[in-house]
Amino acid sequence: MSADLHQGRIVLNEWVGRRYKHMVVEAPDAVVAVPGQFFHLRLSSQWDPLLRRPMSIYGIDEDRGWVEFLYHVRGRGTALLAGLVPGDTLDLLGPLGRGFSLDSAWRGILLVGRGAGLATLAPLAEQAVQSGMDVFAILSARTPDRLVSVDRLHELGARVATVTDVEGTSEVHVVESMVREILHRESVDAVFTCGSRRLTKLMQRLADTHGIPGQVALEENMGCGLGMCYCCVKPFFREGRVYPLRVCREGPVFSLAEVIVDEL
Amino acid sequence: MSADLHQGRIVLNEWVGRRYKHMVVEAPDAVVAVPGQFFHLRLSSQWDPLLRRPMSIYGIDEDRGWVEFLYHVRGRGTALLAGLVPGDTLDLLGPLGRGFSLDSAWRGILLVGRGAGLATLAPLAEQAVQSGMDVFAILSARTPDRLVSVDRLHELGARVATVTDVEGTSEVHVVESMVREILHRESVDAVFTCGSRRLTKLMQRLADTHGIPGQVALEENMGCGLGMCYCCVKPFFREGRVYPLRVCREGPVFSLAEVIVDEL
Amino acid sequence: MSSDRLSVQVGPLRLKNPVMPASGTFSPDLAEWIDFDQLGALVTKSVTWHPRAGNPGPRCIETPAGMLNAVGIQNKGVENFIIDQLPVYRRWKTPLVVSISGESPEGYARLAHRLTVPGVQTIEVNISCPNLEVGGWSPAMEADGTYRTIRAVREATDLPIWAKLTPNTGDMVSVARAAQEAGADALVVANTLIGMAIDPHTKRPKLGNVTGGLSGPAVKPIVLRMVYQIYPHVNIPIIGCGGISRADDVLEYLLAGARAVQVGTYNFVNPRGMTEIIRDLDEYVEREGLKSITEIVGQANKGRIFSASCSCSRSSES
Amino acid sequence: MSSDRLSVQVGPLRLKNPVMPASGTFSPDLAEWIDFDQLGALVTKSVTWHPRAGNPGPRCIETPAGMLNAVGIQNKGVENFIIDQLPVYRRWKTPLVVSISGESPEGYARLAHRLTVPGVQTIEVNISCPNLEVGGWSPAMEADGTYRTIRAVREATDLPIWAKLTPNTGDMVSVARAAQEAGADALVVANTLIGMAIDPHTKRPKLGNVTGGLSGPAVKPIVLRMVYQIYPHVNIPIIGCGGISRADDVLEYLLAGARAVQVGTYNFVNPRGMTEIIRDLDEYVEREGLKSITEIVGQANKGRIFSASCSCSRSSES
Ligand SMILES: Cc1cc2nc3c(=O)[nH]c(=O)nc-3n(C[C@H](O)[C@H](O)[C@H](O)COP(=O)(O)OP(=O)(O)OC[C@H]3O[C@@H](n4cnc5c(N)ncnc54)[C@H](O)[C@@H]3O)c2cc1C
Ligand SMILES: Cc1cc2nc3c(=O)[nH]c(=O)nc-3n(C[C@H](O)[C@H](O)[C@H](O)COP(=O)(O)OP(=O)(O)OC[C@H]3O[C@@H](n4cnc5c(N)ncnc54)[C@H](O)[C@@H]3O)c2cc1C
Ligand SMILES: Cc1cc2nc3c(=O)[nH]c(=O)nc-3n(C[C@H](O)[C@H](O)[C@H](O)COP(=O)(O)O)c2cc1C
Ligand SMILES: Cc1cc2nc3c(=O)[nH]c(=O)nc-3n(C[C@H](O)[C@H](O)[C@H](O)COP(=O)(O)O)c2cc1C
Ligand code: FES
Ligand code: FES
């Protein structure tokens, strides 16, 4: 599972809704990644844009040597990414960071994600299903067309609920009652979240109340992605103290209990 | 003949020998150019490389709306240009500058060029042939595979001699006797040169001795290409005085007589 | 763009909008590309008393996201400017700012006096050109030289005067204050940063003049910081200049505290750049529902702890 | 790379080759990517006396061909460094340069003294961090502060000391000379340029610390000029640092007068960058038939008119 520099080849790079793209990259040596880890992508052979862009793994196909990403086209880096066509090469550094961890004793897990965060949770769902766990998911987005990976979760057999801002269903108290309902009714042994500060705060509280573990995948502007620059640091609780930890190295996945939500 | 910003579409971009590429760009509104003029090409939508690159016109096909270039792949700008494939778009600013001028009374002209300078002279040969003039050409390069546009000149019916460094035929005194021979034997009313300081010096002297006019297409690092920045200025003789003139605006074609060769 | 929601007041001058070209990156040649009457102001290349042939070539070199230039203020001298070029600029209604470059406070004063003629609306005092002395020294590197030059110009003309500062100093605030105290009506922040490039093959400096001025997007973070740094310490308008290529860059400068901006190198990349930026600014004002774009000037300074964050130099604090 | 044709002498220290990482852009984490025994030296992130949590985020922002950082020297303090990190660095044979950051000359001296322990080969005195005080002030902005700090360190340790200068001054030559006079064995030129970025949407500075340090290819022309500028005025080695991403960049710095170089931001773009640069330098030396790479040091200064071209500041000339 050691990280390396890879020259991938774009297999597919297609729109999913109006703001997201699904990209498949052939990079046979890079398929050693686990859900929650990320690759650091270089978008120009010149010096602008200079820095790499972190993207979590949306899928891994070991047989075909494919790594998949699902990304929100936001600024110029992701715009350049969106311009790649099949056959183009892509410089990938990774896999990097600490991914999600699943305990084989768990019977069911609940995923609560929003926006691009859904991309990060999808491969976790797949892994959980393969390990025989039940997967419940609450997916949140601004509009229905930004609810990415719903189909994929359905196909996996996950039980999926969706909430959106435009439908007025995504407010925290609504999601809270949905989560309580699931935790009450189903055998959920752990919760996972990604993509929203508000939902992270909520899930931290609910996991704590219910006495179950939780994990969250965080994002932060990154310089190196390798643990050297300390650009991606946030403070976390650990063993009763506050530690500044590197999202790229000690994360991007952290235990929900150690996150200081107000610092996100 | 007014200059504009064009979004061209690459039709062809192929190697000619190991260092040159021939590029055809579809840009129907841009075909109003004359030989010796240039386009200023933008090579990135980002800020690196920042400045445009000047490229003279290698050909114009008014019917098909094509502009052609022949370029030496030297640094990173031309490397990016070399990476374009048919269907890609290219941002062209132009046509810019003052091109060659042909006097319809001339019966024959002599072109003496070297390296990438041959690209600049080729469309002039075409225009001259169309106007019924005889065209003589001496083409110089380091190696035979860098002698671009020889075939094109042959097809036009030009009488072409080639000289190269590796064959030991390109030394100034050799070229000098070839030029003298042509000027002596044939009806040559004007000489044109591009691509070499040494040859420009030679042609200036010979044109002067033979009392015939001459023109040279010059190169200089450019900022704007539009006459605003004064980055491309060189000193020239004009009306008995020395003037600093802009290669992009008062040139890139100048009368041989006004060039101060030691300042090139 | 019917209303005057983009218009800004810079000292005694009212500009249609905050966007104008930077000295030396603009000439009447650009009129083939854009309508000068859409610009906030026109700014000439710096004019000197005597004609100057400029520096030996190469005069410009591209660098990552920027360029170095060492043109050396090639121009035909002030008399030629008044006779030949001023009438050309008078074709447009947009206010004309004439940039001047002298060799001493008196030299600047003489130029300003000579240029106090109809058709010239403002004098921009270029005390910051890095291409006149090898190595790049310029008066604006020190508060004292700045004060003396601006003062001399102030006494020589009734026209509004803008002091164009250099970023090649550790003490922007003192220099800015000196310019204000000497009577400048506005500050242009800033000229180019002194830089150089060497050719590994020839082993020689690439520019004919050895060093040159760095401009373009590469320098924007530095110059933007300087505008922000100076803003709380002066009460005359600041005109931001450095690396602007988009409306968002203009907004950054206005938020930092600039009242207007100058666009330089980007004119070389996109000759229609300035008018596109003006169009995008108008869309921004519309979208945000602002009455005037000036509402955002200095907004990024909100909540700022002035004493701690304002100056690079301890000495200017005391 | 069998011979020692790449090796350079930097003060009392002999380096295998002129390439080393820049402080704060390097950590033992990079050992997964390259063999540290191939580097000229190892340079730690700056160490402070007490632990520091660093600045609030965001701590970095990309800019055209560069980046702004405002990490704020997060570190666990010198005792932790000696106990936890020093043993890790001692795994490699390459000389270790420990960068220190204090709050006063005495603070620097105390750190240097404490770090005069086996395993530490050199102290790099970071008197130029722009991220400790809001606004970016640092001691190296003035010759006086530089002298006092380096002098105090000189008296506190027998180890070689390198003074890391700031580019945020109009007077590099005076500062460089002050460092030399105070006893520095080498100069690192330079730290980052103070810059900032503003978010047009939130209208707030993008960095948690408001201002930050600009690094990367964008700044190379500026810092290269500073090395060239300082070179004729000092007789201790200069270590060039700013925007290096290729062997050609290293050659530019050596030609300008640097004896060695540090690579910073580029490590983030290409974690194998430094070893690729070393390989390309070796190819260059081979191709050019040089006995030693030091033959080219300062070559771009040939024929230079020293008095005119060396200094940005008049005062240092007099
Ligand atoms: C570990 C990790 C995994 C991620 N996985 C995904 C993913 O699977 N899908 C997805 O769509 N996005 C993901 N992101 C976010 C993604 O990296 C940013 O959206 C992307 O870098 C923006 O680049 P840009 O050039 O398009 O935007 P820019 O123009 O650079 O900036 C647009 C916005 O993105 C933010 N941003 C810029 N750089 C970064 C950065 N390095 N890290 C985080 N935010 C940044 C800026 O603050 C700004 O608000 C992930 C981020 C991290 C840290
Ligand atoms: C009016 C004009 C017409 C030209 N026509 C042709 C042509 O038809 N075919 C052709 O192959 N080349 C032509 N050139 C030269 C061409 O512009 C340069 O080779 C090109 O800009 C190099 O870009 P680069 O990024 O590959 O090289 P860089 O890495 O930027 O530089 C490589 C070399 O090219 C020189 N150079 C860089 N920028 C320029 C510039 N703007 N102008 C001139 N030289 C430069 C540098 O000094 C350096 O020696 C022309 C130049 C001019 C001024
Ligand atoms: C080619 C060129 C010539 C310049 N000439 C002048 C000048 O004559 N007078 C002056 O005050 N500034 C001059 N400048 C500096 C610009 O006015 C401006 O301050 C600088 O380029 C920064 O802005 P930019 O990053 O938008 O280019 C020149 C800049 C360039 C690129
Ligand atoms: C993220 C980051 C952290 C840095 N931290 C330090 C530091 O702790 N001490 C120091 O002296 N310089 C620090 N620097 C400055 C670098 O050492 C170097 O001087 C600068 O980045 C210029 O080199 P570059 O352009 O190659 O990056 C830091 C730079 C970056 C980008
Ligand atoms: S991004 Fe550099 S330490 Fe995390
Ligand atoms: S390139 Fe700007 S004037 Fe010629």
Side-chain angles (χ1 to χ4, degrees):
Chain A
M1 207 132 50
S2 86
D4 212 334
L5 269 167
H6 309 276
Q7 285 298 320
R9 210 181 47 81
I10 308 293
V11 175
L12 177 144
N13 193 15
E14 280 179 359
W15 288 103
V16 179
R18 275 172 41 231
R19 295 170 184 268
Y20 290 87
K21 276 198 127 175
H22 175 205
M23 183 170 72
V24 177
V25 186
E26 186 182 298
D29 299 331
V31 295
V32 289
V34 302
Q37 284 192 302
F38 67 97
F39 282 91
H40 218 20
L41 312 182
R42 184 164 172 194
L43 299 165
S44 171
S45 60
Q46 309 302 310
W47 303 141
D48 186 51
L50 180 67
L51 297 178
R52 291 172 178 270
R53 299 291 189 274
M55 283 294 157
S56 39
I57 292 152
Y58 180 59
I60 287 283
D61 185 328
E62 288 185 32
D63 298 336
R64 291 193 278 194
W66 287 359
V67 183
E68 295 179 53
F69 301 95
L70 189 99
Y71 59 95
H72 183 175
V73 181
R74 295 173 74 178
R76 56 196 198 120
T78 45
L80 286 170
L81 205 54
L84 296 178
V85 295
D88 285 350
T89 55
L90 177 66
D91 175 336
L92 309 95
L93 178 68
L96 301 174
R98 203 172 133 273
F100 295 108
S101 53
L102 286 178
D103 182 331
S104 55
W106 290 341
R107 290 153 300 166
I109 62 170
L110 168 62
L111 317 179
V112 181
R114 184 171 162 92
L118 306 179
T120 312
L121 297 173
L124 176 68
E126 192 162 323
Q127 200 190 345
V129 167
Q130 276 164 7
S131 316
M133 299 176 199
D134 288 334
V135 174
F136 304 89
I138 301 173
L139 308 184
S140 170
R142 193 125 79 88
T143 56
D145 75 324
R146 296 195 190 187
L147 282 163
V148 291
S149 76
V150 178
D151 294 346
R152 181 153 167 216
L153 290 172
H154 272 304
E155 278 164 34
L156 287 170
R159 276 184 273 163
V160 184
T162 64
V163 297
T164 65
D165 299 359
V166 291
E167 297 164 311
T169 49
S170 62
E171 277 171 55
V172 174
H173 71 270
V174 181
V175 177
E176 170 158 4
S177 51
M178 292 169 79
V179 173
R180 284 187 182 280
E181 172 82 16
I182 294 168
L183 295 183
H184 180 73
R185 226 181 35 216
E186 312 286 349
S187 301
V188 168
D189 296 309
V191 296
F192 297 84
T193 186
C194 182
S196 157
R197 221 183 121 264
R198 287 182 316 153
L199 294 180
T200 303
K201 193 166 189 162
L202 172 69
M203 295 312 293
Q204 188 181 53
R205 179 161 52 83
L206 296 180
D208 187 43
T209 328
H210 287 76
I212 54 173
Q215 293 167 35
V216 56
L218 295 179
E219 289 191 8
E220 184 52 79
N221 281 20
M222 287 188 180
C224 66
L226 303 171
M228 303 192 289
C229 73
Y230 287 80
C231 285
C232 64
V233 166
K234 293 179 194 283
F236 294 86
F237 283 122
R238 239 174 217 190
E239 298 144 23
R241 286 178 51 193
V242 174
Y243 287 98
L245 301 177
R246 296 164 297 182
V247 170
C248 73
R249 194 86 182 169
E250 281 84 38
V253 174
F254 291 90
S255 158
L256 259 183
E258 57 191 15
V259 169
I260 304 173
V261 183
D262 293 332
E263 300 278 352
L264 292 188
Chain B
M1 207 130 52
S2 85
D4 212 333
L5 270 168
H6 309 275
Q7 285 298 322
R9 209 182 47 78
I10 307 293
V11 175
L12 178 145
N13 193 15
E14 280 180 357
W15 287 103
V16 179
R18 274 174 40 232
R19 295 171 183 265
Y20 290 87
K21 276 198 129 176
H22 176 206
M23 182 169 72
V24 177
V25 186
E26 187 182 297
D29 300 330
V31 295
V32 290
V34 302
Q37 284 192 303
F38 67 95
F39 283 90
H40 218 19
L41 312 181
R42 185 164 172 195
L43 299 165
S44 171
S45 61
Q46 309 301 312
W47 304 141
D48 187 52
L50 179 68
L51 298 177
R52 292 172 178 270
R53 298 291 191 274
M55 283 295 159
S56 39
I57 293 152
Y58 181 57
I60 287 283
D61 186 329
E62 287 185 33
D63 298 336
R64 292 193 278 194
W66 286 359
V67 183
E68 296 180 52
F69 301 95
L70 189 101
Y71 60 94
H72 183 176
V73 182
R74 294 173 75 179
R76 56 198 196 120
T78 45
L80 286 170
L81 205 55
L84 297 178
V85 295
D88 286 350
T89 56
L90 177 65
D91 176 335
L92 308 95
L93 177 70
L96 300 174
R98 204 172 133 272
F100 294 109
S101 54
L102 286 177
D103 182 330
S104 56
W106 291 340
R107 289 154 301 169
I109 62 169
L110 168 63
L111 317 178
V112 180
R114 182 172 162 91
L118 307 179
T120 312
L121 296 172
L124 175 68
E126 192 162 324
Q127 200 189 347
V129 167
Q130 276 162 8
S131 316
M133 299 176 198
D134 288 335
V135 174
F136 305 88
I138 301 173
L139 307 184
S140 169
R142 193 123 78 88
T143 55
D145 74 324
R146 296 196 190 185
L147 283 164
V148 291
S149 76
V150 178
D151 294 346
R152 183 156 164 215
L153 289 173
H154 272 304
E155 279 165 34
L156 287 170
R159 275 182 273 163
V160 184
T162 62
V163 297
T164 65
D165 300 0
V166 290
E167 297 164 311
T169 50
S170 63
E171 277 170 56
V172 174
H173 71 271
V174 180
V175 177
E176 172 161 359
S177 51
M178 292 170 77
V179 172
R180 284 186 183 279
E181 171 84 14
I182 294 170
L183 294 184
H184 180 72
R185 225 179 38 211
E186 312 285 350
S187 302
V188 168
D189 296 309
V191 297
F192 296 83
T193 187
C194 183
S196 155
R197 223 183 120 264
R198 286 183 317 155
L199 294 181
T200 302
K201 194 165 188 164
L202 171 69
M203 296 312 292
Q204 188 182 52
R205 179 160 54 79
L206 295 181
D208 187 43
T209 329
H210 288 74
I212 54 173
Q215 293 167 34
V216 57
L218 296 179
E219 289 190 9
E220 184 51 78
N221 282 20
M222 287 188 179
C224 65
L226 303 170
M228 304 191 289
C229 73
Y230 288 80
C231 284
C232 63
V233 166
K234 292 179 195 283
F236 294 87
F237 283 123
R238 239 174 218 190
E239 299 142 23
R241 285 177 53 193
V242 175
Y243 287 97
L245 300 177
R246 297 164 297 183
V247 170
C248 73
R249 195 84 180 170
E250 282 85 36
V253 175
F254 290 90
S255 158
L256 260 183
E258 58 191 15
V259 169
I260 304 173
V261 184
D262 293 333
E263 299 280 351
L264 293 189
Chain C
M1 257 167 285
S2 50
S3 75
D4 63 353
R5 61 193 178 188
L6 283 188
S7 95
V8 296
Q9 187 81 29
V10 177
L13 217 64
R14 185 102 200 144
L15 309 181
K16 209 179 297 99
N17 64 63
V19 180
M20 67 187 93
S23 175
T25 67
F26 171 78
S27 74
D29 300 273
L30 197 66
E32 287 174 29
W33 298 87
I34 57 174
D35 174 7
F36 286 6
D37 280 329
Q38 285 185 27
L39 300 175
L42 308 181
V43 184
T44 71
K45 173 147 194 74
S46 297
V47 176
T48 54
W49 190 263
H50 295 294
R52 282 180 61 93
N55 288 326
R59 288 178 171 188
C60 75
I61 291 292
E62 190 186 58
T63 67
M67 69 180 281
L68 288 164
N69 91 78
V71 172
I73 314 208
Q74 176 182 337
N75 80 105
K76 295 182 178 162
V78 68
E79 293 307 325
N80 173 281
F81 176 83
I82 291 172
I83 296 164
D84 271 10
Q85 294 181 58
L86 189 53
V88 176
Y89 281 112
R90 295 191 72 177
R91 283 189 214 146
W92 295 284
K93 293 188 291 287
T94 304
L96 179 67
V97 180
V98 180
S99 169
I100 60 171
S101 170
E103 278 161 17
S104 62
E106 299 68 43
Y108 279 97
R110 194 159 54 135
L111 275 162
H113 183 72
R114 183 69 192 89
L115 284 160
T116 306
V117 294
V120 177
Q121 271 75 36
T122 290
I123 301 287
E124 180 174 290
V125 192
N126 175 7
I127 46 175
S128 46
C129 180
N131 294 322
L132 296 179
E133 301 208 11
V134 186
W137 187 87
S138 68
M141 289 172 70
E142 287 148 31
D144 182 47
T146 302
Y147 183 88
R148 282 188 294 122
T149 307
I150 300 299
R151 189 76 223 158
V153 173
R154 177 70 295 161
E155 281 160 8
T157 183
D158 290 334
L159 289 173
I161 60 181
W162 296 355
K164 184 157 179 185
L165 306 186
T166 179
N168 299 296
T169 167
D171 197 3
M172 284 305 286
V173 171
S174 304
V175 172
R177 277 183 181 156
Q180 168 173 304
E181 276 160 37
D185 295 282
L187 304 172
V188 181
V189 178
N191 214 309
T192 49
L193 284 118
I194 308 169
M196 79 182 294
I198 296 172
D199 186 329
H201 303 289
T202 65
K203 302 192 173 68
R204 308 297 309 156
K206 281 187 181 173
L207 289 170
N209 189 49
V210 180
T211 59
L214 184 67
S215 63
V219 308
K220 198 194 67 181
I222 302 168
V223 183
L224 182 72
R225 175 265 298 178
M226 291 176 170
V227 169
Y228 180 86
Q229 196 172 37
I230 293 170
Y231 177 69
H233 293 278
V234 296
N235 45 41
I236 53 178
I238 299 169
I239 299 162
C241 175
I244 292 172
S245 65
R246 299 173 310 178
D248 268 3
D249 297 330
V250 177
L251 296 174
E252 283 193 76
Y253 271 105
L254 298 184
L255 290 163
R259 193 79 63 82
V261 297
Q262 297 185 342
V263 178
T265 306
Y266 187 58
N267 294 313
F268 307 166
V269 179
N270 178 2
R272 302 222 172 90
M274 287 190 289
T275 48
E276 288 173 13
I277 288 171
I278 294 166
R279 178 201 64 204
D280 293 348
L281 286 176
D282 194 62
E283 271 174 36
Y284 170 83
V285 170
E286 169 83 38
R287 204 168 52 236
E288 296 275 308
L290 305 180
K291 279 226 190 67
S292 160
I293 193 152
T294 56
E295 289 171 39
I296 69 165
V297 171
Q299 288 283 301
N301 291 268
K302 260 194 197 158
R304 179 171 173 183
I305 311 134
F306 277 28
S307 57
S309 61
C310 44
S311 169
C312 248
S313 167
R314 283 270 168 91
S315 55
S316 68
E317 305 284 45
S318 59
Chain D
M1 255 168 288
S2 49
S3 76
D4 62 354
R5 59 194 179 188
L6 284 187
S7 95
V8 295
Q9 188 80 28
V10 177
L13 217 63
R14 184 105 201 143
L15 309 182
K16 207 180 297 99
N17 63 63
V19 180
M20 67 187 93
S23 174
T25 66
F26 171 79
S27 75
D29 299 272
L30 196 67
E32 287 174 29
W33 297 88
I34 57 174
D35 174 5
F36 287 5
D37 280 329
Q38 284 183 28
L39 300 175
L42 308 182
V43 184
T44 71
K45 173 150 194 71
S46 297
V47 177
T48 54
W49 190 262
H50 296 292
R52 282 182 61 93
N55 288 326
R59 290 178 171 187
C60 74
I61 291 291
E62 190 185 60
T63 67
M67 69 178 281
L68 287 164
N69 91 79
V71 172
I73 314 207
Q74 174 182 339
N75 79 105
K76 296 184 178 160
V78 67
E79 293 307 323
N80 173 281
F81 177 84
I82 291 170
I83 295 164
D84 271 10
Q85 294 181 57
L86 191 51
V88 175
Y89 282 112
R90 295 190 73 176
R91 282 190 217 146
W92 296 284
K93 292 186 292 287
T94 304
L96 179 67
V97 180
V98 179
S99 169
I100 60 171
S101 170
E103 278 159 19
S104 62
E106 299 68 42
Y108 279 98
R110 194 159 54 135
L111 275 163
H113 183 73
R114 183 69 191 90
L115 283 160
T116 305
V117 294
V120 177
Q121 270 76 36
T122 291
I123 301 286
E124 181 174 290
V125 192
N126 175 7
I127 46 174
S128 46
C129 181
N131 295 322
L132 296 179
E133 301 209 10
V134 186
W137 187 88
S138 68
M141 288 172 70
E142 287 148 30
D144 182 48
T146 302
Y147 183 88
R148 280 187 297 121
T149 308
I150 300 299
R151 188 78 225 158
V153 174
R154 177 70 297 161
E155 280 161 9
T157 182
D158 290 334
L159 288 173
I161 59 181
W162 297 354
K164 184 158 179 185
L165 305 187
T166 177
N168 301 295
T169 167
D171 198 3
M172 284 305 286
V173 172
S174 303
V175 172
R177 276 185 184 154
Q180 169 173 304
E181 276 159 38
D185 295 282
L187 304 172
V188 181
V189 179
N191 214 309
T192 49
L193 283 117
I194 308 169
M196 81 182 293
I198 296 172
D199 187 329
H201 304 289
T202 65
K203 302 193 174 64
R204 308 295 311 155
K206 282 187 180 173
L207 289 170
N209 189 49
V210 182
T211 60
L214 184 67
S215 63
V219 308
K220 197 195 67 180
I222 303 168
V223 183
L224 182 70
R225 176 265 297 177
M226 291 175 169
V227 169
Y228 180 85
Q229 197 171 36
I230 293 171
Y231 177 68
H233 293 277
V234 297
N235 46 39
I236 53 177
I238 300 170
I239 298 162
C241 175
I244 291 172
S245 66
R246 299 173 309 178
D248 269 2
D249 297 331
V250 178
L251 296 176
E252 283 194 75
Y253 272 104
L254 298 185
L255 289 163
R259 192 80 62 84
V261 297
Q262 296 185 342
V263 178
T265 306
Y266 188 59
N267 294 315
F268 306 166
V269 179
N270 178 2
R272 303 223 171 90
M274 287 190 290
T275 46
E276 288 172 14
I277 288 171
I278 294 166
R279 177 201 62 204
D280 293 347
L281 285 177
D282 195 63
E283 270 173 37
Y284 170 84
V285 171
E286 168 83 37
R287 204 168 52 238
E288 296 275 307
L290 304 180
K291 279 227 189 67
S292 160
I293 194 154
T294 56
E295 290 171 38
I296 70 165
V297 171
Q299 287 283 302
N301 291 268
K302 259 195 198 160
R304 177 170 176 185
I305 310 135
F306 275 28
S307 54
S309 61
C310 41
S311 168
C312 250
S313 166
R314 282 268 168 89
S315 57
S316 68
E317 304 283 47
S318 58

